[in-house]
């Protein structure tokens, strides 16, 4: 394997309140074999949207108006609500008039959750409300503060966030006037014992320092890994993870994928030649997929079999993705490098800046992917989609998350 990782514990503040994370009873139980865990990740649980008709019918009828699903059919909404496809939803203080046309065909709102954050991770499972982990960045004197919270997206209930952990980052004089910004991912492992998030600082094209934080859910203990230029991260298993960026720990060989082996406390460079700018990364049982951008900012996305990725992780010999990986495209259309995949690997989503959230179904053969276009999920103000269980989807907008389902 590669060189030993340079890790250190950061100052962590954990809320004094007791928070139930795993093995709790009731609707908020996180222990479920059916859970779909994601960061800014794939939207569908398996195939097309599933049957969430009862919840949708309840939402559509909650205002006492018609249930034909026609636009503007609400009879009466509250002062801080608007009617969107026959459902009264909270406005979060914004004008929602464009949402009628922005949502994909057949989608109906269930509830709008007004809690803006810098990044989200959503856990969806059959028969219960989605659970959201979010990341909020703030400043405190000269420090930058990153707070991770957890809350349940329960329709008809106020958001009640519980603190998971808080990390303080001191400004490095070497950054000059540059300041850290959080990256757009909260990656939760499959058994919900840990999560990842990161920040970077753009000092210059040659200097993009950053860190990845591994948070133990429950205790709030946080370990920081040097990770210059980190853009995205994904779990290899419940302990090991892979980062898309310029390096990890003491290994920093330029843009590519870097993996951390928790049992050996070592890191390895596992993929190269993804481009001159970093992109997203995803792992499934059958394949690994990673993106980047060329010097002209054009996207390029590659895939390899999971066995090839695991071999590179075990040996520490990186895969040249340009030479040995399969380029991922859809009918000649280049896939944006900031894609995301569903937990089962059967759906891929991506959105260009201010473009629609596109969806493709995925089939694979020895790591080579074939994409088939599906109806767009949303456009306009919506930027990211998260699987939310029972075929539901949470759509990110500037003021929070909108839970939708198929009518």
């Amino acid at each position: 394997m590669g060189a030993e990782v340079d890790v250190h514990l950061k100052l962590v503040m954990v809320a004094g309140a007791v928070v139930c994370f795993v093995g709790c009873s009731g609707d908020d139980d996180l222990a479920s074999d059916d859970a779909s865990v994601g960061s800014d990740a794939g939207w569908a649980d398996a195939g097309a949207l599933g049957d969430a008709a009862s919840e949708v019918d309840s939402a559509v009828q909650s205002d006492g108006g018609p249930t034909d699903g026609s636009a503007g059919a609400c009879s009466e909404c509250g002062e801080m609500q608007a009617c969107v496809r026959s459902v009264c939803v909270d406005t979060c203080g914004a004008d929602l008039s464009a949402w009628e046309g922005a949502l994909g065909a057949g989608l109906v709102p269930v509830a709008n959750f007004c809690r803006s954050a810098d990044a989200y991770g959503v856990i969806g499972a059959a028969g219960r409300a989605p659970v959201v982990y979010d990341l909020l960045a703030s400043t405190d004197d000269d420090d930058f503060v990153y707070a991770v919270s957890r809350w349940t997206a329960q329709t008809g209930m106020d958001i009640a966030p519980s603190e998971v952990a808080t990390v303080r980052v001191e400004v490095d004089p070497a950054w000059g006037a540059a300041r850290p910004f959080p990256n757009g991912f909260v990656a939760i492992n499959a058994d919900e014992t840990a999560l990842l998030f990161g920040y970077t600082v753009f000092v210059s094209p040659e200097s993009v320092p950053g860190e990845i934080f591994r948070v133990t859910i429950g205790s709030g203990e946080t370990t920081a890994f040097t990770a210059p230029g980190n853009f995205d991260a994904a779990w290899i298993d419940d302990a090991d993870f892979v980062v898309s960026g310029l390096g990890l720990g003491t290994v920093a060989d330029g843009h590519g994928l870097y993996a951390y082996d928790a049992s050996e406390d070592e890191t390895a460079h596992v993929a190269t030649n993804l481009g001159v700018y970093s992109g997203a990364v995803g792992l499934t049982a059958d394949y690994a997929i990673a993106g980047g951008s060329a010097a002209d900012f054009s996207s390029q996305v590659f895939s390899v079999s999971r066995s090839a990725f695991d071999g590179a992780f075990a040996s520490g010999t990186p895969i040249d993705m340009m030479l040995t990986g399969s380029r991922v495209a859809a009918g000649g259309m280049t896939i944006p490098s900031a894609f995301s995949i569903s937990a089962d690997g059967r759906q891929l989503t991506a959105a260009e800046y201010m473009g629609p959230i596109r969806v493709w179904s995925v089939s694979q053969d020895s790591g080579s992917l074939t994409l088939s276009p599906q109806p767009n999920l949303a456009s306009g103000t919506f930027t990211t989609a998260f699987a939310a269980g029972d075929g539901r989807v949470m759509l990110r907008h500037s003021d929070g998350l909108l839970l939708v389902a198929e009518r």
Side-chain angles (χ1 to χ4, degrees), residues 1-3 5 234 236 240-244 247-249 251 256-262 265-271 283 309 312-314:
M1 291 283 299
V5 175
I236 299 171
D240 307 328
F241 58 87
V242 60
V243 174
S244 174
L248 182 64
V251 179
L257 301 183
Y258 297 83
Y260 174 64
D261 183 334
D265 193 22
E266 293 181 344
T267 194
H269 194 184
V270 295
L283 294 175
F309 175 88
F313 181 40

Side-chain angles (χ1 to χ4, degrees), residues 20-382:
C20 186
F21 291 95
V22 178
C24 312
S25 60
D27 291 339
D28 203 25
D29 186 358
L30 294 190
S32 171
D33 292 337
D34 296 326
S36 174
V37 180
S39 57
D40 279 1
W43 64 275
D45 299 310
L49 285 170
D51 181 13
S54 60
E55 190 170 18
V56 172
D57 286 344
S58 176
V60 172
Q61 296 178 42
S62 62
D63 69 325
T67 61
D68 61 358
S70 58
C74 306
S75 60
E76 184 178 353
C77 293
E79 181 179 357
M80 296 299 293
Q81 291 186 321
C83 181
V84 180
R85 298 194 177 182
S86 304
V87 180
C88 292
V89 296
D90 293 335
T91 65
C92 307
D95 180 2
L96 307 189
S97 58
W99 283 21
E100 288 282 348
L103 292 175
L107 294 184
V108 177
V110 175
N112 194 24
F113 297 93
C114 303
R115 181 173 166 86
S116 180
D118 294 284
Y120 298 94
V122 176
I123 303 166
R128 65 171 173 81
V131 173
V132 179
Y133 286 81
D134 64 29
L135 175 67
L136 294 173
S138 62
T139 58
D140 181 16
D141 295 328
D142 291 332
D143 295 342
F144 282 75
V145 181
Y146 298 102
V148 180
S149 299
R150 170 190 172 275
W151 49 276
T152 302
Q154 184 71 53
T155 56
M157 303 289 290
D158 292 336
I159 296 173
S162 299
E163 186 177 2
V164 178
T166 298
V167 175
R168 302 181 72 91
V169 176
E170 296 180 0
V171 173
D172 189 332
W175 297 345
R179 292 296 179 262
F181 57 87
N183 292 317
F185 66 89
V186 177
I188 308 157
N189 65 0
D191 67 358
E192 291 178 50
T193 58
L195 60 83
L196 303 167
F197 72 91
Y199 76 86
T200 51
V201 185
F202 186 81
V203 179
S204 71
E206 295 75 31
S207 178
V208 191
E211 290 181 298
I212 289 282
F213 299 98
R214 183 195 186 280
V215 178
T216 300
I217 296 173
S219 71
E221 182 181 36
T222 302
T223 304
F225 298 78
T226 300
N230 71 85
F231 182 88
D232 195 15
W235 289 92
I236 299 171
D237 52 35
D238 287 331
D240 307 328
F241 58 87
V242 60
V243 174
S244 174
L246 294 168
L248 182 64
T250 57
V251 179
D253 297 326
H255 286 284
L257 301 183
Y258 297 83
Y260 174 64
D261 183 334
S263 63
E264 300 293 335
D265 193 22
E266 293 181 344
T267 194
H269 194 184
V270 295
T272 63
N273 216 355
L274 287 166
V276 298
Y277 303 105
S278 300
V281 59
L283 294 175
T284 75
D286 298 315
Y287 64 86
I289 181 172
S293 298
D296 63 357
F297 299 103
S298 60
S299 294
Q300 46 196 28
V301 180
F302 303 92
S303 62
V304 295
S305 68
R306 181 59 189 263
S307 61
F309 175 88
D310 290 342
F313 181 40
S315 68
T317 302
I319 300 168
D320 187 319
M321 299 294 275
M322 188 80 72
L323 292 178
T324 62
S326 298
R327 190 176 288 269
V328 180
M333 174 185 175
T334 301
I335 302 301
S337 60
F339 63 87
S340 56
I341 57 172
S342 59
D344 61 9
R346 292 164 54 189
Q347 299 284 341
L348 184 148
T349 66
E352 298 281 8
Y353 178 68
M354 296 301 290
I357 301 177
R358 302 181 185 275
V359 184
W360 295 268
S361 60
V362 180
S363 59
Q364 74 87 34
D365 182 11
S366 301
S368 179
L369 307 186
T370 300
L371 305 185
S372 301
Q374 304 296 313
N376 293 342
L377 276 176
S379 60
T381 186
F382 300 106

